[in-house]
Amino acid sequence: MQLYIYDWSELRPLDVGGDGRFHGYPLDAYWQDDWRHPLLLRVDGRLAGFALVTARSHLTGAPGVFDMAEFFVMRRYRRQGVGLAAASAAFDRFRGPWEIRQRDENAAATAFWRRVADRYTGGRYRDVRWNDGAWVGPVQMFSSAPPPSGKPAGS
């Protein structure tokens, strides 16, 4: 999590404390609430990142809408397909409607998630601009449920 927050410090005014660490991210709820899902990403058995998934829309509060709350791949493993594989595995594991949000200042994340949504859905996703005061930024929306024809997503 420290590496993830460090990456964000390039985009947001985040500083380390006197102990050289960033303020902690509240993770306890991911082990207490059954609608939150912490996932570790591994490459050849080595920790390579994480994903925090919720089964509740961050945008509307609707249950049963999966939200990629946080997603991180260590720099060493980027641009090798690790992020796409990890995201696709999460979409396959949690079937149903998805919302993936980005902040405006994180253009690299928006480009990444648009590529992932396009590849995973075969172009069957919506890319919307959300601005309701509580959240402002791009959002990719799609369903990871198999299409009615029975064809796998992305085919």
Side-chain angles (χ1 to χ4, degrees):
M1 186 55 75
Q2 288 290 302
L3 298 174
Y4 177 68
I5 298 170
Y6 173 72
D7 275 2
W8 270 103
S9 73
E10 184 177 24
L11 303 169
R12 313 272 298 169
L14 303 170
D15 290 310
V16 296
D19 64 355
R21 297 177 58 83
F22 290 97
H23 181 68
Y25 185 95
L27 292 171
D28 290 347
Y30 280 90
W31 281 267
Q32 296 166 354
D33 299 335
D34 62 358
W35 55 275
R36 296 179 198 257
H37 307 280
L39 307 171
L40 294 178
L41 314 181
R42 296 190 181 274
V43 173
D44 297 327
R46 292 185 299 272
L47 188 60
F50 65 85
L52 300 178
V53 175
T54 64
R56 188 172 296 168
S57 170
H58 182 83
L59 303 174
T60 67
V65 176
F66 295 103
D67 176 75
M68 188 66 74
E70 309 292 347
F71 188 86
F72 174 71
V73 176
M74 290 175 56
R75 290 179 186 266
R76 169 186 170 146
Y77 299 106
R78 293 180 189 173
R79 299 186 191 349
Q80 299 175 35
V82 171
L84 173 62
S88 296
F91 304 150
D92 288 346
R93 180 173 176 180
F94 302 106
R95 293 293 190 161
W98 276 87
E99 296 171 346
I100 304 174
R101 304 165 287 111
Q102 303 89 54
R103 294 191 179 274
D104 284 328
E105 64 268 27
N106 198 347
T110 300
F112 168 78
W113 285 113
R114 285 175 175 156
R115 282 191 311 274
V116 167
D118 186 59
R119 293 232 1 231
Y120 184 81
T121 67
R124 293 184 302 271
Y125 74 100
R126 290 187 315 138
D127 194 338
V128 300
R129 170 109 185 121
W130 197 270
N131 186 354
D132 69 354
W135 182 264
V136 177
V139 181
Q140 294 75 47
M141 299 175 170
F142 60 91
S143 178
S144 64
S149 67
K151 293 181 182 177
S155 58

